[in-house]
Amino acid sequence: MRRFTQLPQWWTYGLVFPLAVLNCWLALLVFEYFRALITVLVVATVLSFLLDYPVRFLHRYGLKRDRAILSVLFLTLLVLVVLGLTLAPILLNQITELATRLPTWIVSGTEQIEAFHNWAENRNLRIDVSGLTTQLSDRLSSQLQSLTGEILKFGLGAADGLLNFLLTIVVTFYLLLHGDRVWEGLFKWFPSKLSILLRELLARSFHNYFVGQATLAGLMGLSITVAFLILRVPFGLLFGLGVGVMTMIPFGAPFSICIVSLLIALNNFWLGVTVLAVATVIEQIIESGVAPRLLGGFIGLNPVWILVALLVGVKVAGVAGLLVAVPMAGFIKNTVDILESSRNKSREIDSVSSIEPMEQ
């Protein structure tokens, strides 16, 4: 042991780093093996966290908690069934029609690029977009084929998805019913003061993130869908709701707006430019006027670290990791900041207490 402590610091780090990498690699293998189960647990935890608000509301007005849980779950499933019977067929029809029209849109886009190339040649402008036309056609064709393959995989895995959905509902019910005991059992391994602090920080991070992002997603989806319908954008309902869903993810709204504008510009260039301008204005109004009041500075993370957290979350747990990556990163940062501040305060107190006897 003494020999190990007497080693140079760079040598110690050289020994620790491979062990840390090996442990992370083993953890990724475990997560990959249990990814389906982890996804169910994560989604059920998020649903139980969100549904706990109406459960508390009903319980506060005299309804027993178990009956409040059953009532909220029944209403949630009823809303999902109604949306599945009314909205889902429309969206599925638009997805199918979009997949049918997309090849013609690709042809239209290449024709528009070639027309621009001819216009530039007539005015002696040296702009060569012939290579761009070929690349655009090849890339979009390959993406269309991959999209068709993903839809086929989704259809083949519908039974497995239904089983996971039912399992998620059951786990959500038990988390709503016995979630406090579960969290107490997990946090009891920490010291009492630290356990209370960690539990409060975790609840605050998830509350601020999911409530705020869900509200922003609803506002964004509704506003952009109405704007697309007014502009008579093809597949306006599908594109508007898609932007709203992507708003749940940081940086998802501007990314989805660019993709939608590019797709529309393939069919109608000026309509694509109009969609990009209108959607960007709506996104900026909501992000600048509404988002600060809903989200505030609850995360406190640099955008680079938010992107890193999203990439790590997707790598570790797929879609479920994408949902919880940012609030978990915010929770870790806030915990480290609070622990560091408390440690600094204790050091200041110790330094002051050591100076006072010397002055006496």
Side-chain angles (χ1 to χ4, degrees):
M1 189 68 180
R2 291 180 179 178
R3 293 180 179 179
F4 183 76
T5 56
Q6 292 176 356
L7 290 175
Q9 189 175 11
W10 64 270
W11 190 280
T12 304
Y13 288 154
L15 292 175
V16 172
F17 180 74
L19 294 176
V21 172
L22 179 61
N23 289 330
C24 292
W25 178 69
L26 292 175
L28 285 176
L29 290 180
V30 173
F31 275 111
E32 184 67 27
Y33 184 78
F34 294 103
R35 173 170 288 190
L37 179 61
I38 292 173
T39 302
V40 170
L41 291 176
V42 170
V43 174
T45 303
V46 173
L47 286 177
S48 64
F49 179 80
L50 295 176
L51 295 179
D52 189 56
Y53 291 100
V55 169
R56 290 182 182 180
F57 177 79
L58 294 177
H59 182 62
R60 191 183 306 164
Y61 283 90
L63 196 62
K64 292 183 178 180
R65 183 168 178 82
D66 54 351
R67 295 183 180 179
I69 292 172
L70 290 174
S71 301
V72 170
L73 284 177
F74 176 76
L75 290 176
T76 303
L77 290 175
L78 181 62
V79 170
L80 291 177
V81 170
V82 171
L83 290 177
L85 294 177
T86 57
L87 191 61
I90 299 175
L91 294 177
L92 184 60
N93 184 28
Q94 291 198 359
I95 291 174
T96 306
E97 190 175 353
L98 175 62
T100 304
R101 288 192 188 181
L102 196 55
T104 60
W105 285 15
I106 294 174
V107 174
S108 175
T110 55
E111 290 177 353
Q112 293 183 65
I113 294 176
E114 290 177 357
F116 174 74
H117 178 66
N118 295 330
W119 176 85
E121 281 188 345
N122 293 331
R123 286 160 177 77
N124 296 324
L125 297 176
R126 296 181 179 180
I127 301 176
D128 187 10
V129 292
S130 57
L132 178 62
T133 304
T134 305
Q135 292 181 6
L136 179 65
S137 178
D138 294 340
R139 289 287 180 88
L140 289 178
S141 299
S142 62
Q143 292 299 321
L144 178 61
Q145 293 176 358
S146 64
L147 178 62
T148 306
E150 291 296 328
I151 294 175
L152 181 60
K153 290 180 181 178
F154 177 78
L156 293 176
D160 188 30
L162 180 61
L163 179 61
N164 289 337
F165 175 76
L166 295 176
L167 185 59
T168 302
I169 296 299
V170 173
V171 175
T172 302
F173 172 76
Y174 280 102
L175 284 176
L176 284 171
L177 198 59
H178 305 292
D180 292 336
R181 298 178 185 177
V182 174
W183 292 113
E184 288 176 2
L186 291 175
F187 284 104
K188 74 177 182 180
W189 298 97
F190 299 95
S192 58
K193 292 184 179 180
L194 183 61
S195 174
I196 296 173
L197 175 64
L198 292 178
R199 193 166 180 177
E200 291 179 353
L201 286 176
L202 185 63
R204 189 192 312 164
S205 297
F206 274 78
H207 166 78
N208 292 339
Y209 180 77
F210 283 107
V211 173
Q213 289 294 135
T215 306
L216 288 179
L219 290 174
M220 190 76 72
L222 179 62
S223 303
I224 291 187
T225 300
V226 172
F228 284 178
L229 293 178
I230 292 174
L231 293 173
R232 297 182 179 179
V233 175
F235 314 108
L237 181 63
L238 175 64
F239 289 149
L241 293 180
V243 173
V245 171
M246 289 295 294
T247 307
M248 286 291 297
I249 306 170
F251 314 115
F255 176 75
S256 58
I257 288 173
C258 292
I259 295 298
V260 169
S261 302
L262 176 62
L263 289 176
I264 296 173
L266 291 176
N267 184 44
N268 189 329
F269 177 77
W270 293 112
L271 181 59
V273 173
T274 305
V275 165
L276 178 62
V278 172
T280 302
V281 169
I282 295 174
E283 190 263 341
Q284 287 299 313
I285 290 174
I286 294 177
E287 289 289 338
S288 303
V290 181
R293 298 182 181 181
L294 289 176
L295 302 179
F298 82 96
I299 297 178
L301 288 174
N302 188 285
V304 176
W305 290 115
I306 293 177
L307 184 60
V308 171
L310 291 173
L311 294 176
V312 173
V314 172
K315 179 63 178 178
V316 172
V319 178
L322 194 64
L323 288 175
V324 300
V326 176
M328 283 301 299
F331 163 70
I332 294 172
K333 179 187 180 299
N334 292 331
T335 302
V336 172
D337 290 342
I338 291 177
L339 293 177
E340 185 66 24
S341 63
S342 62
R343 186 180 301 175
N344 292 333
K345 287 181 181 179
S346 63
R347 289 177 181 175
E348 292 177 359
I349 293 173
D350 292 338
S351 62
V352 170
S353 60
S354 63
I355 292 174
E356 288 180 353
M358 295 177 61
E359 293 179 350
Q360 293 177 356

